[in-house]
Amino acid sequence: MSTFLTGIDHIQIASPPDSEDAARKFYGELLGMEEIPKPENLQGRGGCWFICGSQEVHVGIQQDFVAAKKAHPGFTVNALEELKLRLQEAGNAIHEEPPIDGRSRFFTNDPFGNRIEFLEFE
């Protein structure tokens, strides 16, 4: 069997209409992701894109938006405790989870209620 998949280009996170400013504040300012331009032919859809390592995070507008409570991205970090404090200081609730396979982790929600996981390899 051939191997077709070579990696992940991007993840898509849904958000409600007119939520770009909140997305920029959370993903850009709070988490430190750099916003990148959307292709011109997609700009009319709204939303915003960010770079995270060598992958992209696309925050897309969904008219009938419902937050993802189980499905979630898992972002690797290099200063988990510092990020946790930064999120808490910004008013985000932290949900602790036991470590798995040498990874410390916790969950929070983005401004739209989507579940987000952060992990640090030990």
Side-chain angles (χ1 to χ4, degrees):
M1 181 173 165
S2 296
T3 302
F4 296 101
L5 303 178
T6 60
I8 294 175
D9 175 74
H10 70 275
I11 60 167
Q12 174 83 23
I13 297 173
S15 66
D18 301 316
S19 61
E20 291 88 351
D21 288 344
R24 287 181 177 104
K25 185 173 181 181
F26 183 79
Y27 290 99
E29 294 175 25
L30 188 59
L31 297 183
M33 292 184 199
E34 178 185 346
E35 185 172 359
I36 57 175
K38 288 182 68 170
E40 189 173 322
N41 62 323
L42 300 179
Q43 290 177 5
R45 298 179 180 181
C48 45
W49 291 10
F50 301 90
I51 192 79
C52 180
S54 59
Q55 292 80 34
E56 296 176 4
V57 175
H58 298 177
V59 179
I61 301 300
Q62 183 175 332
Q63 295 302 317
D64 58 347
F65 173 75
V66 176
K69 298 297 183 190
K70 180 70 176 172
H72 63 275
F75 294 108
T76 57
V77 302
N78 61 11
L80 191 68
E81 290 302 315
E82 289 177 36
L83 176 60
K84 185 188 301 181
L85 289 173
R86 181 177 176 91
L87 287 164
Q88 287 172 321
E89 289 171 358
N92 294 77
I94 302 298
H95 311 285
E96 299 285 349
E97 291 288 335
I100 53 173
D101 298 329
R103 291 170 279 185
S104 297
R105 63 194 183 129
F106 68 84
F107 289 87
T108 194
N109 293 328
D110 72 6
F112 323 114
N114 294 311
R115 187 175 192 213
I116 309 289
E117 182 176 14
F118 297 99
L119 306 102
E120 183 173 33
F121 286 85
E122 299 169 345

